[in-house]
mmCIF file of all heavy atoms in Angstrom:
data_model
loop_
_atom_site.group_PDB
_atom_site.id
_atom_site.type_symbol
_atom_site.label_atom_id
_atom_site.label_comp_id
_atom_site.label_asym_id
_atom_site.label_seq_id
_atom_site.Cartn_x
_atom_site.Cartn_y
_atom_site.Cartn_z
ATOM 1 N N GLU A 87 6.337 -14.526 -33.730
ATOM 2 C CA GLU A 87 6.697 -14.475 -32.318
ATOM 3 C C GLU A 87 5.547 -15.026 -31.480
ATOM 4 O O GLU A 87 4.376 -15.044 -31.900
ATOM 5 C CB GLU A 87 7.013 -13.048 -31.901
ATOM 6 C CG GLU A 87 8.263 -12.494 -32.553
ATOM 7 C CD GLU A 87 9.498 -13.294 -32.231
ATOM 8 O OE1 GLU A 87 9.865 -13.386 -31.035
ATOM 9 O OE2 GLU A 87 10.107 -13.847 -33.180
ATOM 10 N N GLN A 88 5.917 -15.435 -30.294
ATOM 11 C CA GLN A 88 4.917 -15.986 -29.388
ATOM 12 C C GLN A 88 3.826 -14.956 -29.127
ATOM 13 O O GLN A 88 4.116 -13.778 -28.873
ATOM 14 C CB GLN A 88 5.594 -16.374 -28.061
ATOM 15 C CG GLN A 88 4.754 -17.237 -27.166
ATOM 16 C CD GLN A 88 5.560 -17.773 -25.984
ATOM 17 O OE1 GLN A 88 6.663 -17.307 -25.698
ATOM 18 N NE2 GLN A 88 5.025 -18.758 -25.305
ATOM 19 N N GLY A 89 2.589 -15.402 -29.213
ATOM 20 C CA GLY A 89 1.461 -14.521 -28.952
ATOM 21 C C GLY A 89 0.935 -13.797 -30.168
ATOM 22 O O GLY A 89 -0.100 -13.116 -30.077
ATOM 23 N N VAL A 90 1.596 -13.930 -31.304
ATOM 24 C CA VAL A 90 1.131 -13.287 -32.536
ATOM 25 C C VAL A 90 0.384 -14.324 -33.372
ATOM 26 O O VAL A 90 0.938 -15.368 -33.710
ATOM 27 C CB VAL A 90 2.312 -12.710 -33.343
ATOM 28 C CG1 VAL A 90 1.807 -12.089 -34.640
ATOM 29 C CG2 VAL A 90 3.068 -11.687 -32.515
ATOM 30 N N GLU A 91 -0.869 -14.024 -33.678
ATOM 31 C CA GLU A 91 -1.703 -14.982 -34.415
ATOM 32 C C GLU A 91 -1.359 -14.978 -35.897
ATOM 33 O O GLU A 91 -1.584 -13.992 -36.601
ATOM 34 C CB GLU A 91 -3.175 -14.623 -34.246
ATOM 35 C CG GLU A 91 -3.660 -14.613 -32.800
ATOM 36 C CD GLU A 91 -5.081 -14.097 -32.722
ATOM 37 O OE1 GLU A 91 -5.952 -14.700 -33.402
ATOM 38 O OE2 GLU A 91 -5.340 -13.103 -32.033
ATOM 39 N N LYS A 92 -0.865 -16.096 -36.385
ATOM 40 C CA LYS A 92 -0.447 -16.147 -37.784
ATOM 41 C C LYS A 92 -1.626 -16.102 -38.741
ATOM 42 O O LYS A 92 -1.482 -15.681 -39.891
ATOM 43 C CB LYS A 92 0.401 -17.389 -38.054
ATOM 44 C CG LYS A 92 -0.310 -18.701 -37.810
ATOM 45 C CD LYS A 92 0.629 -19.862 -38.108
ATOM 46 C CE LYS A 92 -0.072 -21.198 -37.917
ATOM 47 N NZ LYS A 92 0.834 -22.345 -38.189
ATOM 48 N N ASP A 93 -2.797 -16.530 -38.278
ATOM 49 C CA ASP A 93 -3.968 -16.485 -39.153
ATOM 50 C C ASP A 93 -4.576 -15.093 -39.215
ATOM 51 O O ASP A 93 -5.367 -14.805 -40.109
ATOM 52 C CB ASP A 93 -5.021 -17.486 -38.673
ATOM 53 C CG ASP A 93 -4.545 -18.916 -38.817
ATOM 54 O OD1 ASP A 93 -3.746 -19.167 -39.736
ATOM 55 O OD2 ASP A 93 -4.957 -19.767 -38.013
ATOM 56 N N LYS A 94 -4.216 -14.272 -38.270
ATOM 57 C CA LYS A 94 -4.733 -12.898 -38.264
ATOM 58 C C LYS A 94 -3.772 -11.960 -38.991
ATOM 59 O O LYS A 94 -4.187 -11.030 -39.670
ATOM 60 C CB LYS A 94 -4.935 -12.414 -36.831
ATOM 61 C CG LYS A 94 -5.481 -11.005 -36.772
ATOM 62 C CD LYS A 94 -5.883 -10.628 -35.364
ATOM 63 C CE LYS A 94 -6.435 -9.218 -35.352
ATOM 64 N NZ LYS A 94 -7.657 -9.084 -36.162
ATOM 65 N N PHE A 95 -2.503 -12.211 -38.826
ATOM 66 C CA PHE A 95 -1.485 -11.364 -39.451
ATOM 67 C C PHE A 95 -0.769 -12.208 -40.505
ATOM 68 O O PHE A 95 0.201 -12.904 -40.209
ATOM 69 C CB PHE A 95 -0.507 -10.842 -38.400
ATOM 70 C CG PHE A 95 -1.147 -9.987 -37.355
ATOM 71 C CD1 PHE A 95 -1.479 -10.511 -36.107
ATOM 72 C CD2 PHE A 95 -1.441 -8.651 -37.615
ATOM 73 C CE1 PHE A 95 -2.073 -9.722 -35.136
ATOM 74 C CE2 PHE A 95 -2.037 -7.858 -36.642
ATOM 75 C CZ PHE A 95 -2.349 -8.392 -35.407
ATOM 76 N N LEU A 96 -1.266 -12.099 -41.732
ATOM 77 C CA LEU A 96 -0.731 -12.913 -42.820
ATOM 78 C C LEU A 96 0.457 -12.217 -43.461
ATOM 79 O O LEU A 96 0.367 -11.054 -43.847
ATOM 80 C CB LEU A 96 -1.826 -13.161 -43.873
ATOM 81 C CG LEU A 96 -3.089 -13.859 -43.365
ATOM 82 C CD1 LEU A 96 -4.096 -13.989 -44.494
ATOM 83 C CD2 LEU A 96 -2.767 -15.218 -42.781
ATOM 84 N N ILE A 97 1.542 -12.945 -43.581
ATOM 85 C CA ILE A 97 2.745 -12.374 -44.163
ATOM 86 C C ILE A 97 3.120 -13.159 -45.400
ATOM 87 O O ILE A 97 3.179 -14.390 -45.383
ATOM 88 C CB ILE A 97 3.895 -12.378 -43.149
ATOM 89 C CG1 ILE A 97 3.583 -11.400 -42.019
ATOM 90 C CG2 ILE A 97 5.221 -12.021 -43.829
ATOM 91 C CD1 ILE A 97 4.565 -11.432 -40.876
ATOM 92 N N ASN A 98 3.373 -12.408 -46.470
ATOM 93 C CA ASN A 98 3.792 -12.995 -47.737
ATOM 94 C C ASN A 98 5.072 -12.310 -48.180
ATOM 95 O O ASN A 98 5.115 -11.090 -48.329
ATOM 96 C CB ASN A 98 2.696 -12.817 -48.794
ATOM 97 C CG ASN A 98 3.031 -13.538 -50.077
ATOM 98 O OD1 ASN A 98 4.192 -13.682 -50.447
ATOM 99 N ND2 ASN A 98 2.029 -14.017 -50.774
ATOM 100 N N HIS A 99 6.108 -13.080 -48.367
ATOM 101 C CA HIS A 99 7.389 -12.523 -48.810
ATOM 102 C C HIS A 99 7.645 -13.061 -50.203
ATOM 103 O O HIS A 99 8.329 -14.060 -50.397
ATOM 104 C CB HIS A 99 8.491 -12.948 -47.833
ATOM 105 C CG HIS A 99 9.737 -12.141 -47.946
ATOM 106 N ND1 HIS A 99 10.551 -11.885 -46.866
ATOM 107 C CD2 HIS A 99 10.312 -11.522 -48.994
ATOM 108 C CE1 HIS A 99 11.581 -11.156 -47.255
ATOM 109 N NE2 HIS A 99 11.454 -10.919 -48.538
ATOM 110 N N ALA A 100 7.080 -12.358 -51.186
ATOM 111 C CA ALA A 100 7.029 -12.883 -52.546
ATOM 112 C C ALA A 100 8.344 -12.768 -53.299
ATOM 113 O O ALA A 100 8.618 -13.541 -54.216
ATOM 114 C CB ALA A 100 5.921 -12.169 -53.320
ATOM 115 N N SER A 101 9.153 -11.785 -52.941
ATOM 116 C CA SER A 101 10.410 -11.584 -53.662
ATOM 117 C C SER A 101 11.442 -11.017 -52.708
ATOM 118 O O SER A 101 11.143 -10.757 -51.538
ATOM 119 C CB SER A 101 10.197 -10.612 -54.825
ATOM 120 O OG SER A 101 10.047 -9.291 -54.349
ATOM 121 N N LEU A 102 12.649 -10.829 -53.201
ATOM 122 C CA LEU A 102 13.719 -10.304 -52.352
ATOM 123 C C LEU A 102 13.564 -8.819 -52.071
ATOM 124 O O LEU A 102 14.372 -8.234 -51.361
ATOM 125 C CB LEU A 102 15.084 -10.569 -53.000
ATOM 126 C CG LEU A 102 15.599 -11.991 -52.877
ATOM 127 C CD1 LEU A 102 16.855 -12.182 -53.717
ATOM 128 C CD2 LEU A 102 15.896 -12.343 -51.422
ATOM 129 N N THR A 103 12.543 -8.196 -52.635
ATOM 130 C CA THR A 103 12.334 -6.764 -52.389
ATOM 131 C C THR A 103 10.944 -6.440 -51.862
ATOM 132 O O THR A 103 10.628 -5.263 -51.651
ATOM 133 C CB THR A 103 12.567 -5.949 -53.680
ATOM 134 O OG1 THR A 103 11.648 -6.398 -54.676
ATOM 135 C CG2 THR A 103 13.998 -6.109 -54.171
ATOM 136 N N LEU A 104 10.112 -7.433 -51.641
ATOM 137 C CA LEU A 104 8.742 -7.146 -51.233
ATOM 138 C C LEU A 104 8.231 -8.144 -50.212
ATOM 139 O O LEU A 104 8.307 -9.355 -50.404
ATOM 140 C CB LEU A 104 7.814 -7.171 -52.451
ATOM 141 C CG LEU A 104 6.302 -7.053 -52.179
ATOM 142 C CD1 LEU A 104 5.983 -5.697 -51.547
ATOM 143 C CD2 LEU A 104 5.507 -7.261 -53.453
ATOM 144 N N SER A 105 7.694 -7.605 -49.133
ATOM 145 C CA SER A 105 6.981 -8.402 -48.147
ATOM 146 C C SER A 105 5.675 -7.688 -47.839
ATOM 147 O O SER A 105 5.634 -6.451 -47.809
ATOM 148 C CB SER A 105 7.801 -8.558 -46.867
ATOM 149 O OG SER A 105 7.074 -9.264 -45.876
ATOM 150 N N THR A 106 4.609 -8.436 -47.640
ATOM 151 C CA THR A 106 3.328 -7.816 -47.300
ATOM 152 C C THR A 106 2.795 -8.395 -45.996
ATOM 153 O O THR A 106 2.993 -9.577 -45.690
ATOM 154 C CB THR A 106 2.275 -8.033 -48.402
ATOM 155 O OG1 THR A 106 2.063 -9.437 -48.582
ATOM 156 C CG2 THR A 106 2.725 -7.415 -49.707
#
Side-chain angles (χ1 to χ4, degrees):
Chain A
E87 293 300 298
Q88 193 171 14
V90 178
E91 301 174 57
K92 61 180 182 181
D93 294 330
K94 181 171 181 63
F95 298 99
L96 301 178
I97 292 173
N98 186 329
H99 197 148
S101 74
L102 283 172
T103 60
L104 173 64
S105 176
T106 60

